[in-house]
Amino acid sequence: MSCFTVEIHSGGDHTKQWINHGYLAVDFFFILSGYVIGYAYDDRWSNMSLGHFFKRRIIRLQPMLIVGSIIGALLFYFQHSPVLGWGGISEVPLSKVVIVMILGFFLIPVGKGLDIRGWNEMFPLNGATWTLFFEEIANISYALLLRHLPAFVLGIFATIAAGFTIHYALTNPAGDIIGGWALDDPQQLKIGFIRVAFPFLAGLLLARTIKLKYIKNAFLYTGLLLILILSIPRIGGNEQPWQNGLYECFCLVVVFPFIVWLGAGGKVEGKAKQVSQFLGDISYPIYITHYPVIYLFYSWVVNNGYSFNKAWPAGLLTAIVSLALAYGLMKLYDIQLRAWLRNRFLSAKNKVALSKSL
C-alpha cells in the first residue's frame, strides 16, 4: 500500500519513486497461486470432477470479486480528476457504470467502448481485477491441460516461459514488466500472458518436485526478503533501463521460487502462526477491494496538488480504511457466504480438505 502513496508523487517516473517494485507482488502472487493450486488439487483428481474444481474456484474467488466491483461503482463518481485523465467521470451515464459493474461480477473484461475511467483498463471500476482475469485463465489451463503433464514437460514449458519473460524485460524500453490490464491493446495482453505464464508454471512445478525441509523462522525470513525485494528503488535510471529489467528477471526466476520453497518448508507456531493466518485470510479481501479507495486517494492528491509531506497522513488513513473495510467484509460477508455456498453446492464427498484450497 505504501508504494501507491509514493507512486502518485513521482509523476509517472519510476526513477523518482523510492519504493518502486511493489508491482512485482502481482508476479509473486502468480507463483504462489501455482504452488498452492498444485499442492491443493494435484492429488484429488481421482475423486474430483472438473465441475467440482470450477465450483471450488468460483466459491473461493467470486464473492469478494462481486463486492469489489460494487465498491468501485459506489466510489466512481467521487474520483473525478482531469489531471489524471479522469475528467469525464462526471459525464458517464449511471447505466454504463451499472453495466461495467455487472460485467465485473462475472470477470468479463471490457474494451475502450466501456472504458468509463479513461485509463484503458479492462476493469475500470476496480483495476486490480485484471490479475484475477489471468488467474482464471491459469486455473482453466491447469484443469484442462497442465494437471495431466509430467513434471519434465511442465519444466520445459516453464523454461520456455522464463525465456519470454527475460527477453521482454531486457528489451522493453521501459526496463520493467509493468502492464497487462488492457483488453484491446495487443501489447498489454502480451504482457499479461507473459506475467502469468512463468510464475504459475513455476509454482506448479515446485509443488510437484520440491522436497520440503523444516526451516526455522521461515516466516520471518520470507517476509523480510519480500519486503526488501519489493522496496528496492529503480535500478539503472532512464539511461540504462535494461539493468532494472535484469533485476526483475532475477526476482522472478530465482528469488521468488526460492521464497516459495523457503516458506513451504517453514513451520509456523505460536504468535507467528496467528499473524500468518491473519495475513493469509486478509490478503485476498484487501487486494480485491483496496483499488477503488486508492483511486479516491489519487484524485484527492492531484486535484489539490498536495506534496508527499502534506498527503502522507491521508495515505496512512487510506491504508487503515482499506484494511478495516477488507476485514469487515471478510468476517461479515465473505466467510459466511462461502460457507453457505459450500454447503449448498458441494457434496459431502467433495468438501474434504477444503482448508488446503486457496
Side-chain angles (χ1 to χ4, degrees), residues 138-170:
N139 282 197
I140 294 172
S141 300
Y142 165 76
L144 298 182
L145 173 65
L146 298 178
R147 67 184 176 92
H148 298 291
L149 300 180
F152 175 75
V153 176
L154 200 61
I156 293 175
F157 282 174
T159 302
I160 294 172
F164 278 102
T165 300
I166 294 169
H167 176 267
Y168 178 76
L170 295 182

Side-chain angles (χ1 to χ4, degrees), residues 58-67 70 329-345:
I58 290 171
I59 290 171
R60 179 63 184 96
L61 299 175
Q62 211 71 19
M64 288 305 301
L65 187 67
I66 290 172
V67 81
I70 292 173
L329 288 169
M330 177 186 72
K331 285 291 188 179
L332 302 176
Y333 164 76
D334 187 44
I335 292 176
Q336 309 296 329
L337 180 56
R338 284 194 288 124
W340 181 84
L341 290 171
R342 286 196 298 268
N343 289 329
R344 176 68 177 81
F345 294 104

